């Protein structure tokens, strides 16, 4: 296992762009003239990208300064952020805990104060999970809202580019840069929230959410979405199918880590055409259920992670840790926007309140997060 290192937050320090906001960029996103290596030795000889990803053009056009390419879980296919090839980024606020994956370096760069915001990607929780682990905000936008041109893998029905930030306001600023149609808003009423009950959540995490909602006092009612566990399993089938097609050929490269190779090979065997068809049926059904649950509400809320992040010393192989994403992966499948608001347990460990909104309604989602954050007393947030 790799020892965490602050130097592992960025795999390629840079100084590109203007003198505006500092931005770290996950190394699955192309920057012209630089290789995109995705945290793996299997791409050590990758040629320089011929053009910027669309999101890179957007941040440069806004006068931002790109401070570097951020580290990640190898090939963006893991949830802990532990990477024996490029190093494991230090979790700046909770150094004995994993930074979360796969966008580990992006989250850590914001938590460390190195970047004003960072770009990550989220196929099965890969923005929300590391944001939760590192005690910051992370937003997975509506699927398809932010361009993925120039982002690895080139084709995905789950993956989204999105921002990390230390505040909801900076999330809104980042979204406006990434999508000129985004217009920030402020809530003019107490947010109406539907609380989803999820089985198997650690008492410390449930207690942190209870305390936060009791302190902020939004209008909360019970809500339900049938099939969230089915959506989790269906999301795994889809990601296994799409990653097998996109990066499966790299399993023959000796530079690929054994853990990632084993997960890719195992996943390819389960992602049969029949399993994919069944997963797509779950996608349609649960998407409709989430839409229905949001009727009359500003957002749904549930834990970002079912437990506090594992200790770095106890982080095991990637397949065993996938359950970390049990509460986030469904919303990759359905395509709804979701963000994580950082909380602290009674023992001072990181937890997250996941807030899920209507498709295309990121502005309302961020406004809800800002309202809640402003109402929380000291000690409930990192």
């Amino acid at each position: 296992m790799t020892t965490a290192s602050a130097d592992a937050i960025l795999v390629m320090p840079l100084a590109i762009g203007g003198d505006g906001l500092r931005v770290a960029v996950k190394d699955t996103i192309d920057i012209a003239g630089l290789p995109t290596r995705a945290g793996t030795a299997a791409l050590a000889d990758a040629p320089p990208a011929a053009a910027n990803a669309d999101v890179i053009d957007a941040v440069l056009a806004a006068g931002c300064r790109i401070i570097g390419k951020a580290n990640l879980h190898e090939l963006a296919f893991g949830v802990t952020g532990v990477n024996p090839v490029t190093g494991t980024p230090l979790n700046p606020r909770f150094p004995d805990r994993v930074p979360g994956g796969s966008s580990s370096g992006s989250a850590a760069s914001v938590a460390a104060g190195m970047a004003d915001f960072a770009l990550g990607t989220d196929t099965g929780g890969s923005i929300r999970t590391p944001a939760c682990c590192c005690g910051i905000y992370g937003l997975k936008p509506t699927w398809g809202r932010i361009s993925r041109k120039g982002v690895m893998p080139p084709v995905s029905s789950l993956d989204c580019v999105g921002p990390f930030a230390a505040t909801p306001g900076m999330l809104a600023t980042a979204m406006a840069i990434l999508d000129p149609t985004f217009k920030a808003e402020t809530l003019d009423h107490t947010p109406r929230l539907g609380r989803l009950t999820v089985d198997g959540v650690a008492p410390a995490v449930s207690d942190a959410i209870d305390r936060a909602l009791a302190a902020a006092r939004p209008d909360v009612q019970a809500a339900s979405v049938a099939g969230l566990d089915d959506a989790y399993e269906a999301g795994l089938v889809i990601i296994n199918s799409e990653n097998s097609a996109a990066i499966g050929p790299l399993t023959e490269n000796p530079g690929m880590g054994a853990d990632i190779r084993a997960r890719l090979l195992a996943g390819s065997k389960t992602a049969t055409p029949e399993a994919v068809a069944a997963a797509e049926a779950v996608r349609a059904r649960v998407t409709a259920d989430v839409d229905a649950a949001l009727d009359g509400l500003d957002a749904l809320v549930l834990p970002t992670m079912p437990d506090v992040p594992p200790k770095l010393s106890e982080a095991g192989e990637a397949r065993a840790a996938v359950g970390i994403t049990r509460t986030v992966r469904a919303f990759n499948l359905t395509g709804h926007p979701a963000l994580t608001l950082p909380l602290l347990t009674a023992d001072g460990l990181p937890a997250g309140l996941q807030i899920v909104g209507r498709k295309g309604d990121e502005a309302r989602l961020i406004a809800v997060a800002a309202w809640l954050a402003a109402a929380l007393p000291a000690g409930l947030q990192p």
Side-chain angles (χ1 to χ4, degrees):
M1 182 175 298
T2 300
T3 301
S5 167
D7 293 337
I9 292 176
L10 299 179
V11 291
M12 190 183 302
L14 301 168
I16 299 173
D19 295 322
L21 296 172
R22 300 163 300 157
V23 182
V25 177
K26 186 177 183 178
D27 194 21
T28 55
I29 301 173
D30 286 349
I31 298 177
L34 301 174
T36 301
R37 295 193 175 113
T40 181
L43 294 175
D45 297 326
N52 286 330
D54 284 352
V55 289
I56 298 301
D57 283 337
V59 298
L60 292 177
C64 297
R65 174 168 290 269
I66 296 174
I67 65 163
K69 283 209 157 189
N71 203 354
L72 62 149
H73 202 112
E74 185 177 3
L75 285 165
F77 201 37
V79 300
T80 62
V82 172
N83 189 325
V85 178
T86 53
T88 300
L90 177 74
N91 184 333
R93 296 180 177 180
F94 308 96
D96 67 327
R97 303 284 162 167
V98 299
S102 64
S103 307
S104 51
S106 297
S109 70
V110 171
M114 298 166 59
D116 297 302
F117 72 89
L119 299 183
T121 62
D122 192 317
T123 315
S126 286
I127 289 174
R128 290 159 290 162
T129 299
C132 181
C133 291
C134 292
I136 61 171
Y137 293 83
L139 170 65
K140 181 200 81 69
T142 305
W143 184 83
R145 176 161 190 171
I146 305 299
S147 171
R148 294 189 65 262
K149 184 179 179 182
V151 178
M152 181 190 297
V155 177
S156 174
S157 68
L158 304 171
D159 191 50
C160 303
V161 177
F164 295 87
T167 65
M170 185 56 71
L171 279 185
T173 297
M175 277 298 295
I177 289 171
L178 297 174
D179 179 4
T181 70
F182 175 88
K183 304 297 179 188
E185 65 178 61
T186 302
L187 283 187
D188 59 3
H189 61 273
T190 299
R192 298 177 294 268
L193 306 178
R195 185 168 182 179
L196 297 178
T197 299
V198 182
D199 293 333
V201 175
V205 173
S206 293
D207 176 67
I209 292 174
D210 288 341
R211 290 187 298 117
L213 293 177
R217 301 181 66 183
D219 179 1
V220 181
Q221 64 185 59
S224 64
V225 172
L228 281 181
D229 287 339
D230 293 341
Y232 167 77
E233 296 294 342
L236 289 174
V237 170
I238 298 295
I239 194 174
N240 285 336
S241 174
E242 295 181 346
N243 273 359
S244 293
I247 58 179
L250 289 176
T251 56
E252 298 181 5
N253 189 306
M256 178 181 285
D259 188 19
I260 300 300
R261 179 183 290 107
R263 188 177 173 202
L264 278 167
L265 292 175
S268 66
K269 296 175 183 177
T270 63
T272 64
E274 294 78 14
V276 171
E280 291 293 354
V282 172
R283 190 202 299 258
R285 172 168 54 83
V286 178
T287 298
D289 287 345
V290 174
D291 287 337
L294 283 162
D295 187 37
L297 300 174
D298 292 303
L300 303 173
V301 293
L302 70 162
T304 304
M305 293 173 59
D307 204 345
V308 297
K311 289 184 177 180
L312 190 62
S313 60
E314 299 171 352
E317 55 94 33
R319 280 183 292 173
V322 167
I324 288 173
T325 64
R326 186 166 58 82
T327 53
V328 290
R329 194 175 293 274
F331 305 107
N332 292 94
L333 189 74
T334 68
H336 290 84
L339 67 76
T340 182
L341 180 152
L343 297 174
L344 288 174
T345 68
D347 292 330
L349 294 174
L353 178 67
Q354 184 177 195
I355 311 172
V356 181
R358 292 175 180 79
K359 292 183 179 181
D361 205 9
E362 284 82 356
R364 176 62 56 90
L365 203 59
I366 294 172
V368 169
W371 191 98
L372 291 171
L376 292 178
L380 289 182
Q381 285 198 288

